[in-house]
C-alpha cells in the first residue's frame, strides 16, 4: 500500500516536472548534507546494480554542526568538460561507475524538464568537515550532498526522487536526505527503494550521539565487497533479513514513537551485534570490531547494568568506531567514564570535539569506577570523540559564487 | 534407527552387567584421558540437567603425549569419607553438582552389578599435564578421565555407557572417551546422547594440530552460562542448530571419509566462525576471540589463498586460543610463519612444546613473508604453541599403588 503510494507520488512528480522547461547559461549551488548512523543495519543487496537492499534499515541523521559534506556544483556553457574535486584532489568522474550513474540519472530527469543543453558541463567540488580517515559514513553524506545539489540545481524537489537518486551512489546516502530518524524501505525497484522520515530531530531533541574514533589504519574489507561476500557465503544472512530485521524495525519504530530509550537502545545493540555476527559468519570471515571496540561494548553494558536499564547503546558500522546513542541527561557520565577508561598515564584527557559537557561535578558510581580501573585501555587506541546530536536534512548554503561556495566562477576549485 | 540401536545395546549391557556381582575391600585404578578439540561446535543445550545438546558435534582427540588428564581412584573400606584432589588442591565433592551426578550415576550402575558396599568410600586424585590457565578443554579430559576410571574400577566397560556418564560431568567429555575423530550424537535423552568414533587416529595419521596459547588472563563468560545466554537471546542459534549444523556434519564426515583435507578445513573454519557469530548475536554479546585470535585467522586465510587450497584451518573454542589443524607436510611452513609473525625484537623464537619440526630449510613464499612483515604482532600476545597429533582414547596406566599412581595407599595424594 505504502509502496504503491510512493510510486504514484513519483509518477505525479515526473508529470509535474515535465510540464516546465527552461534554458540558462550558468547555474551554481552549494549544499551541505549530513552523515547518518544506522541503528538497524543495511547489509546485503537484492540488486547490486540498483542497490536494492535485502532489508529495511533505520538511522539517525547527525547534526551538520559537527559532521557534514559540502558540495558546490556549477553548470555552464563556459566549461569545456565535466570535472570534480573531492577534498582538494581531482577525481576522474568516468572512473567511478556510481558517480556516473547518479549524474546520468539526474541528467535524464533534467533533460525532460528544465533541460540539460549538450554544450553545458558541470564542475563539482566537495569537502567533508570531518577526517575521512575516521572511517565514518563519508560516502552517505557525500552522495546525499551531490544528489541533493544536482537535483536542486535542476529544480527536482521531490525528496523521494532525490533519495532514490542518492541511493544509486551509495545505499545509505538515501537516508541522509532527511533529518531526525529515517527509515529506508528496502522496496523492490528503483522507485520503491527510498527513505522516509520517521521523526524530525525536534521530536526527540534529547538524543545525543558520540562517535568514538578508534585508531585504525586499515580497513581490510570495503562495505561493498564485504556485503557481497556475506550474501554469497553466510548461511544466516537471509534468515536475519527475512525473520529478524522486520521485528527489529517494528520494535524500534514503536520505541521511537513512545520515546522509550531503554527499548530503543536494546534493539540498536542487538541489531549491531547481529550485523557483526553475519560478518563473522561470512567466509572468509569479516571482522570490523577490534579489541578497542569491544572495550566500549563491555563498558556500555556494565554501565547499563549498574543503572538497571539502558542509559546508552553502541552501534558499529563497517569499522571499529563505536557510535554511542544516549539521552542528554546521561551524556556527562558517559563522557566521563569513557575518558577515564582511555586516560593517558600523564592524566591528559581524551579530546571531545563538538558538544562539550561539564563533568567536574559528576560522580561515577564506585562499581563503575572499579570496573574501569580493572579494564584500563591504552590511551592511544581511542583517538577522540565527536559529540553531537540529531540534526536536519541537507540544506542549500548559497546560489552564488560567494564565500560559502567551494568553486570559483571559472569552474575551478578555491585553493 | 541408529538411536534405537544404541538403546538396545544399552539395555543389553545393563542386563549383562546385572548378572555378575562381586565384593572386595580395596581397589585402585589410574587412568589417562585425552583433550578433544571440536571441529563442529557444541553450543547450547536442549536439556540443561542431562546436558543434551542442541546439535551433533565432531572433534579430534589430541595425543595424550602432549595433553592429558591423569586420575587415580581408590575405593576401600579403610577410608572414612569420599575426598578428591584436583591439581594438588582438595576440592569439596558435594559442592560440585556435576561431579556428584557422575559419581552417583556410576554408583547406581555399580550397586546392581559388582556392588558398592555402604562402608566403602572413594579417594580421587587428578592432574592435568598442561597448564589449566591455557583455557583448554580441561573439563572434557578431566571428566572423561574420572568417569572412565570410575567405570573401569566397577567393571563397566561399554564405551557408550562411559560416554554418556562423562557427558553428565561436562558435555564435551563424552567425546574424549574415544581416540581419532569422534561424533557426539545429540540424541534426546541420557541413553541416546552419546559419542561414537568416526575414524581412529591411525586412519588419518597425517593430521597435525597446533594449539596456539594466547595470553589471556580473564575469561569473561564461562561456557555454561554463555551457552545458556545464547539459547535465551540469540535469534540465530536455533536456525544454526536445525539448518546449518546437520549440513556441516554431513559434509565434514564425507570429507573425513575421503581424507579430503581441503574440504575438512573449509567446514571446520565455517563452523568455528558461525559458533562465534552466535556468541556475538547473544545479548549482551559474548566475545571469545581477541585481536590476537584474529591475526591468526587472517594469516591462515592468507596462506591458504597463496597455496590456492586449504592447507590449514583454525578453530576456536570458548576462548582466544587458536587450534590449527593441518597435514604433516604443511606443518613446518605453518610453524615457521606463525613464529615469524610473533617473533620478538631480539629474535627470540616462540616456544613450541610437543612435536618439533625442522624449519631451517623451509622457504616462506615472498608474498606470505610480505604479509607477515606488514602485520607483525606483539610477541607477548602469543605465549607458546603445543604441537600435537590425533591420539587414542583413555587408557589404564596401572591398577597398583605404584609410581604411576597419584594416591598413596592411605588414600591421600602424593606430595
Amino acid at each position: 500500500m505504502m509502496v504503491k503510494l510512493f510510486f504514484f507520488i513519483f509518477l505525479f512528480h515526473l508529470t509535474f516536472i515535465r510540464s516546465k522547461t527552461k534554458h540558462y547559461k550558468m547555474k551554481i549551488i552549494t549544499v551541505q548534507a549530513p552523515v547518518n548512523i544506522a541503528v538497524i543495519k543495511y547489509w546485503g543487496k537484492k540488486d547490486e546494480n540498483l542497490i536494492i537492499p535485502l532489508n529495511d534499515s533505520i538511522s539517525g541523521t547527525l547534526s551538520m554542526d559537527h559532521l557534514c559534506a559540502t558540495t558546490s556544483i556549477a553548470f555552464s556553457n563556459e566549461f569545456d568538460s565535466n570535472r570534480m574535486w573531492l577534498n582538494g584532489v581531482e577525481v576522474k568522474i568516468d572512473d567511478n561507475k556510481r558517480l556516473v550513474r547518479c549524474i546520468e540519472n539526474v541528467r535524464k530527469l533534467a533533460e525532460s524538464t528544465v533541460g540539460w543543453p549538450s554544450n553545458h558541463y558541470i564542475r563539482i567540488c566537495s569537502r567533508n568537515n570531518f577526517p575521512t580517515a575516521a572511517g565514518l559514513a563519508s560516502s552517505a553524506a557525500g552522495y546525499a550532498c551531490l544528489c541533493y545539489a544536482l537535483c536542486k540545481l535542476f529544480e527536482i524537489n521531490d525528496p523521494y526522487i532525490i533519495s532514490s537518486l542518492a541511493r544509486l551512489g551509495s545505499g545509505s546516502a538515501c537516508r541522509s536526505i532527511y533529518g531526525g530518524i529515517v527509515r529506508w524501505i528496502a522496496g523492490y525497484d528503483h522507485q520503491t527503494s527510498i527513505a522516509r522520515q520517521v521523526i524530525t530531530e525536534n521530536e526527540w531533541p534529547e538524543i545525543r550521539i558520540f562517535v568514538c574514533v578508534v585508531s585504525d589504519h586499515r580497513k581490510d574489507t570495503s562495505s561493498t565487497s564485504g556485503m557481497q561476500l556475506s550474501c554469497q557465503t553466510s548461511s544466516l544472512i537471509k534468515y536475519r533479513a527475512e525473520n529478524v530485521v522486520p521485528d527489529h524495525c517494528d520494535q524500534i519504530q514503536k520505541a521511537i514513537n513512545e520515546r522509550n530509550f531503554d527499548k530503543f537502545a536494546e534493539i540498536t545493540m542487538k541489531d549491531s551485534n547481529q550485523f557483526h555476527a553475519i560478518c563473522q559468519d561470512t567466509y572468509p570471515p569479516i571482522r570490523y570490531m577490534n579489541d578497542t571496540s569491544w572495550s566500549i561494548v563491555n563498558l556500555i553494558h556494565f554501565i547499563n547494568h549498574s543503572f538497571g536499564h539502558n542509559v546508552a547503546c553502541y552501534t558499529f558500522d563497517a569499522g571499529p568506531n563505536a557510535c554511542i546513542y544516549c539521552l542528554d541527561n546521561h551524556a556527562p557520565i558517559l563522557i566521563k567514564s569513557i575518558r577515564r577508561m582511555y586516560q593517558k598515564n600523564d592524566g591528559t584527557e581524551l579530546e571531545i570535539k563538538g558538544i562539550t559537557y561539564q563533568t567536574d561535578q559528576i560522580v561515577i558510581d564506585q562499581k563503575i569506577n572499579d570496573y574501569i580501573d580493572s579494564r584500563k585501555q591504552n590511551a592511544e587506541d581511542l583517538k577522540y570523540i565527536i559529540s553531537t546530536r540529531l540534526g536536519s536534512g541537507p540544506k542549500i548554503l548559497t546560489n552564488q559564487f560567494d564565500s560559502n561556495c567551494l568553486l570559483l566562477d571559472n569552474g575551478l576549485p578555491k585553493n
Side-chain angles (χ1 to χ4, degrees), chain A:
Chain A
M1 181 58 209
M2 183 70 85
V3 159
K4 273 190 185 161
L5 181 67
F6 293 138
F7 190 62
F8 284 124
I9 291 170
F10 181 77
L11 279 182
F12 169 78
H13 199 92
L14 273 184
T15 317
F16 175 71
I17 57 179
R18 255 175 232 275
S19 66
K20 30 174 194 160
T21 51
K22 278 186 201 169
H23 290 283
Y24 42 80
K25 283 195 161 182
M26 177 87 151
K27 277 196 108 177
I28 174 77
I29 197 165
T30 300
V31 159
Q32 262 186 356
V35 163
N36 72 76
I37 301 289
V39 289
I40 305 296
K41 299 294 183 187
Y42 152 52
W43 195 249
K45 304 183 188 81
K46 280 191 284 213
D47 185 319
E48 283 290 331
N49 201 39
L50 289 176
I51 313 193
I52 312 291
L54 283 186
N55 53 255
D56 287 18
S57 55
I58 295 177
S59 61
T61 298
L62 306 194
S63 167
M64 289 190 288
D65 292 349
H66 312 117
L67 292 124
C68 72
T70 307
T71 298
S72 293
I73 304 185
F75 179 74
S76 171
N77 67 351
E78 286 167 16
F79 305 148
D80 54 357
S81 60
N82 291 329
R83 291 176 75 181
M84 179 171 177
W85 294 266
L86 178 59
N87 292 318
V89 178
E90 180 157 14
V91 293
K92 283 200 174 166
I93 294 176
D94 291 344
D95 288 357
N96 189 329
K97 207 179 84 182
R98 292 176 167 209
L99 200 56
V100 170
R101 197 159 56 190
C102 284
I103 297 169
E104 286 307 305
N105 273 274
V106 177
R107 179 214 283 268
K108 269 184 224 162
L109 274 179
E111 273 173 353
S112 58
T113 53
V114 292
W116 186 309
S118 60
N119 64 339
H120 282 52
Y121 291 97
I122 54 171
R123 295 294 168 91
I124 306 170
C125 187
S126 190
R127 286 186 187 282
N128 301 325
N129 74 345
F130 54 92
T132 45
L136 291 160
S138 54
S139 65
Y143 275 105
C145 205
L146 177 85
C147 289
Y148 193 88
L150 267 177
C151 285
K152 292 290 171 184
L153 197 65
F154 292 103
E155 296 167 39
I156 299 165
N157 291 307
D158 186 321
Y160 294 138
I161 293 178
I162 302 174
S163 174
S164 64
L165 289 167
R167 195 200 69 241
L168 295 176
S170 169
S172 53
C174 76
R175 296 185 309 234
S176 275
I177 299 300
Y178 309 87
I181 296 181
V182 180
R183 179 166 179 164
W184 174 11
I185 293 146
Y188 51 85
D189 62 9
H190 178 57
Q191 278 76 39
T192 55
S193 188
I194 46 118
R196 64 183 176 84
Q197 199 172 39
V198 177
I199 56 168
T200 70
E201 64 277 22
N202 303 317
E203 290 179 88
W204 204 356
E206 300 86 359
I207 293 265
R208 294 289 175 273
I209 299 149
F210 304 130
V211 182
C212 303
V213 180
V214 171
S215 304
D216 194 74
H217 302 295
R218 274 184 296 269
K219 179 166 166 177
D220 285 335
T221 315
S222 77
S223 303
T224 303
S225 65
M227 60 177 84
Q228 275 177 1
L229 198 62
S230 293
C231 287
Q232 287 158 12
T233 63
S234 166
S235 21
L236 304 175
I237 193 170
K238 201 161 164 267
Y239 183 82
R240 160 173 162 76
E242 290 175 2
N243 296 279
V244 187
V245 177
D247 280 351
H248 282 180
C249 286
D250 288 353
Q251 289 179 46
I252 209 165
Q253 269 211 243
K254 186 166 180 285
I256 293 164
N257 289 331
E258 294 170 352
R259 311 293 187 271
N260 178 347
F261 186 82
D262 185 31
K263 191 70 186 173
F264 170 87
E266 180 191 323
I267 305 302
T268 296
M269 292 188 281
K270 283 182 174 172
D271 202 78
S272 173
N273 294 336
Q274 192 171 79
F275 153 47
H276 291 278
I278 297 300
C279 290
Q280 171 116 37
D281 186 49
T282 300
Y283 183 78
I286 302 166
R287 174 242 196 177
Y288 292 115
M289 292 169 64
N290 63 17
D291 283 0
T292 305
S293 316
W294 276 96
S295 75
I296 295 170
V297 165
N298 292 330
L299 176 64
I300 298 290
H301 279 290
F302 193 89
I303 291 174
N304 287 340
H305 185 75
S306 304
F307 273 85
H309 61 106
N310 296 321
V311 300
C313 62
Y314 54 79
T315 184
F316 292 83
D317 277 359
N321 305 312
C323 294
I324 298 173
Y325 280 74
C326 67
L327 295 180
D328 55 354
N329 56 334
H330 293 114
I333 186 101
L334 284 163
I335 283 288
K336 191 157 183 169
S337 298
I338 298 168
R339 273 189 146 170
R340 255 183 65 86
M341 198 146 182
Y342 284 90
Q343 198 165 37
K344 288 192 183 143
N345 288 335
D346 65 5
T348 315
E349 294 276 24
L350 184 72
E351 187 189 0
I352 313 287
K353 304 185 182 197
I355 305 170
T356 53
Y357 296 93
Q358 189 47 262
T359 60
D360 294 349
Q361 305 300 315
I362 298 292
V363 179
I364 303 178
D365 180 270
Q366 190 55 45
K367 262 194 258 172
I368 299 174
N369 251 339
D370 291 347
Y371 176 88
I372 291 170
D373 286 344
S374 73
R375 314 275 169 131
K376 272 273 165 72
Q377 301 291 310
N378 293 327
E380 61 273 20
D381 289 340
L382 191 56
K383 276 189 196 163
Y384 56 89
I385 293 177
I386 303 170
S387 162
T388 187
R389 59 165 76 88
L390 293 180
S392 73
K395 63 181 179 195
I396 297 170
L397 282 191
T398 178
N399 286 304
Q400 309 292 322
F401 283 105
D402 60 14
S403 64
N404 283 317
C405 182
L406 304 178
L407 286 164
L408 300 166
D409 61 4
N410 62 3
L412 292 175
K414 286 185 183 164
N415 330 335

